[in-house]
Amino acid sequence: MREPSAAQQGGQSRRSHRPAPVRPPDGPLVDLQRQAGNRAVTAFLRGGASVQRAVVAEYGEIQRRLRPGTFGWVSDTDEYWIIRQLIGIPPVDFHDTVIRMQADGVLGTFFAELPSDARSVAGTIIARIERIRDGRMTAEEQLTHRRRLDWVHSPGDADQAFAALRGLSDADRTAVLRAIPVAEYEAWSRLLRPRTDPGELRFLQTVEVIAQGTTEADLAARQRAFLLRQAQAQGKTLEQFLRGEASTRGYGGRRALWWPSLRPARQQRWQQRFTTALGRVRTAAPPEVLAALTAAEGRGGGIRFGPQQVEEEGADTYAYRQGDLLVVGRLWLLTAERNPANVFENIVHELGGHHDYGRELAWDVMLDATTPAERAVAMAGGQSLYSAYGYLETELYAELRELPFRVPGSRGDDPEHDVEDQLRQIHTSYETGVGAVVVRAFRRRIAHDARITPAALALYDRKVRLVFGIGF
Ligand SMILES: [Zn+2]
């Protein structure tokens, strides 16, 4: 509703020397905030998160009050009235209104006639107007007021945009990312500096999910429907189906035969051989391998000889990881004895890759797609649902990390084969559309990971094209 202008109210001259009324900043401002909030909610309920870009509805009146005619004077009442119109409106409307005021030549009048106490009463909003006027918007304002990334011209700008995106609420981030032109988004991504922080890298996956026009909640809903369809097709409940998947693809549960058959003296000799071999590995290790090893040791882990436990994991098991501890068996030791460089890839894979990856998007989707009770029943057989669904992504990453240290013909993994295998498992375990978003989000993430080499990225791209038919 429009407030009648001072001139309409009493016919009194607008050239008034009355001091500006002391405004209780709370009452009317809070009301305005509330109205603006309701407007935003209404817009949201009517048609999604996007807010129609427009100058404020009261723009005509703003313009009229700033063009006071013959007296060339704008009252403090009018100035405060204008400021109130700008409070609590959506940032895009705020920006567009200020730009329009500037274009129409009334912004100068607004500042020239600013009441003397305006900066103490409404300093924040006046500073915002000035930043828009002078083209000095903060990264956050560029995103929320303009919803653009066209101001990003350097790696420093790109990092600022990254930090600002991270600081937004989920709703704001979604609105901003949906509005940003694809070319600007890609240009920003190209400038963004490589990073190593797992939280920051995981955030890039969140960003890409939104850029793909979906949400993690939506992915979870689609994945749940997919799991239910599979269960139904097999005449099973969801819990039974998941338990079957876990037992087919989970690890563990074998009996060790070789190690328990050895006499203590022989076991002792194997242990000594391991100590010698590990010393040689450490001496020969290149910086990234040594860094992964010493960091794990610093966290109370490292590499231990555990031939019995390794056998229990499975007859062909080479080594396994438990947190920061890499437990290795007989085969690993023989490989390291032949040539210490042959186990570098395994150390980087296990103590570097798996440790550094952090939370998986795909597993987060599964956690949202299933209830704790369903997962508990699914894992009652002792096999891990995580190794069937969540592990795929961290394994993919660990394979790519070990690529530069790969020695052809050594034991251990073969990234060329294993990357494809993990992608095929993601393709079968996740609903097609969900899997496609997972591999795109993973790509966005690893492209900014300082430890992923161009060759590793190229391998990933080649395999995604092969398995998913998606090109980057
Ligand atoms: Zn692994």
Side-chain angles (χ1 to χ4, degrees), residues 356-387:
D356 294 340
Y357 194 72
R359 288 183 75 100
E360 301 92 349
L361 167 64
W363 184 236
D364 282 346
V365 168
M366 273 299 285
L367 291 180
D368 285 346
T370 53
T371 66
E374 287 163 351
R375 291 195 298 277
V377 176
M379 291 190 286
Q383 269 114 352
S384 160
L385 192 63
Y386 170 78
S387 60

Side-chain angles (χ1 to χ4, degrees), residues 269-312:
R269 274 212 301 282
W270 276 102
Q271 185 63 52
Q272 281 159 2
R273 282 172 68 175
F274 167 74
T275 308
T276 308
L278 182 60
R280 287 182 60 210
V281 166
R282 193 188 300 276
T283 310
E288 188 179 342
V289 177
L290 194 60
L293 177 56
T294 41
E297 287 169 344
R299 295 186 298 260
I303 304 176
R304 301 285 150 78
F305 190 49
Q308 173 152 352
Q309 297 97 300
V310 170
E311 265 194 279
E312 284 166 356

Side-chain angles (χ1 to χ4, degrees), residues 49 88 110-111 118 150 172-173 219 257 270 273 294 322 334 345 362 374 376 390 464:
F110 170 78
F111 276 105
D150 55 354
D172 284 348
R173 187 184 305 121
L219 295 178
L257 297 172
W270 276 102
R273 282 172 68 175
T294 41
Q322 223 166 22
L334 294 174
E345 60 189 52
E374 287 163 351
V464 171

Side-chain angles (χ1 to χ4, degrees), residues 107-431:
L107 192 63
T109 313
F110 170 78
F111 276 105
E113 304 290 338
L114 214 50
S116 55
D117 60 353
R119 285 178 195 273
S120 59
V121 176
T124 310
I125 200 157
I126 290 166
R128 263 173 79 197
I129 297 171
E130 284 174 327
R131 285 196 297 276
I132 294 171
R133 180 193 65 189
D134 303 341
R136 292 186 291 106
M137 274 172 277
T138 64
E140 196 218 332
E141 286 166 346
Q142 290 280 6
L143 294 175
T144 57
H145 291 40
R146 292 184 60 240
R147 298 183 174 173
R148 299 294 296 266
L149 283 167
D150 55 354
W151 52 278
V152 171
H153 300 299
S154 69
D157 293 344
D159 278 347
Q160 278 187 26
F162 177 87
L165 268 177
R166 250 192 129 184
L168 296 181
S169 70
D170 287 352
D172 284 348
R173 187 184 305 121
T174 302
V176 165
L177 284 168
R178 297 265 157 88
I180 286 173
V182 176
E184 286 175 23
Y185 175 74
E186 293 297 341
W188 163 72
S189 181
R190 279 193 296 276
L191 282 169
L192 193 62
R193 277 190 273 247
R195 41 231 316 130
T196 56
D197 179 89
E200 289 189 350
L201 290 164
R202 176 65 182 80
F203 177 68
L204 284 166
Q205 291 174 282
T206 300
V207 166
E208 183 64 21
V209 167
I210 302 167
Q212 289 295 322
T214 183
T215 62
E216 288 180 28
D218 178 50
L219 295 178
R222 281 153 70 190
Q223 178 66 4
R224 182 171 179 84
F226 172 70
L227 296 171
L228 285 168
R229 282 199 302 275
Q230 286 176 295
Q232 203 168 25
Q234 297 180 14
K236 292 176 176 173
T237 65
L238 181 59
E239 291 89 332
Q240 288 167 340
F241 170 75
L242 290 174
R243 186 166 170 167
E245 292 298 294
S247 68
T248 314
R249 292 183 281 146
Y251 294 113
R254 309 293 176 86
R255 231 183 111 213
L257 297 172
W258 171 72
W259 184 257
S261 76
L262 301 181
R263 289 174 205 280
R266 286 206 61 197
Q267 290 186 346
Q268 190 78 35
R269 274 212 301 282
W270 276 102
Q271 185 63 52
Q272 281 159 2
R273 282 172 68 175
F274 167 74
T275 308
T276 308
L278 182 60
R280 287 182 60 210
V281 166
R282 193 188 300 276
T283 310
E288 188 179 342
V289 177
L290 194 60
L293 177 56
T294 41
E297 287 169 344
R299 295 186 298 260
I303 304 176
R304 301 285 150 78
F305 190 49
Q308 173 152 352
Q309 297 97 300
V310 170
E311 265 194 279
E312 284 166 356
E313 286 295 305
D316 297 330
T317 305
Y318 185 67
Y320 72 90
R321 187 183 58 101
Q322 223 166 22
D324 288 313
L325 199 60
L326 176 59
V327 182
V328 303
R330 177 172 168 271
L331 194 54
W332 191 96
L333 173 52
L334 294 174
T335 307
E337 282 181 335
R338 197 168 309 128
N339 179 3
N342 286 354
V343 296
F344 292 164
E345 60 189 52
N346 176 250
I347 295 171
V348 169
H349 175 111
E350 299 291 347
L351 297 180
H354 283 304
H355 169 267
D356 294 340
Y357 194 72
R359 288 183 75 100
E360 301 92 349
L361 167 64
W363 184 236
D364 282 346
V365 168
M366 273 299 285
L367 291 180
D368 285 346
T370 53
T371 66
E374 287 163 351
R375 291 195 298 277
V377 176
M379 291 190 286
Q383 269 114 352
S384 160
L385 192 63
Y386 170 78
S387 60
Y389 286 93
Y391 180 71
L392 311 171
E393 201 178 312
T394 178
E395 183 61 13
L396 204 48
Y397 178 72
E399 291 287 342
L400 294 172
R401 278 287 297 278
E402 73 168 87
L403 190 69
F405 301 97
R406 170 103 185 119
V407 178
S410 71
R411 301 300 296 249
D413 303 322
D414 176 3
E416 184 70 33
H417 174 268
D418 294 342
V419 165
E420 184 178 326
D421 192 46
Q422 297 306 320
L423 286 170
R424 288 200 189 283
Q425 286 201 50
I426 292 175
H427 195 259
T428 18
S429 309
Y430 286 85
E431 192 248 354

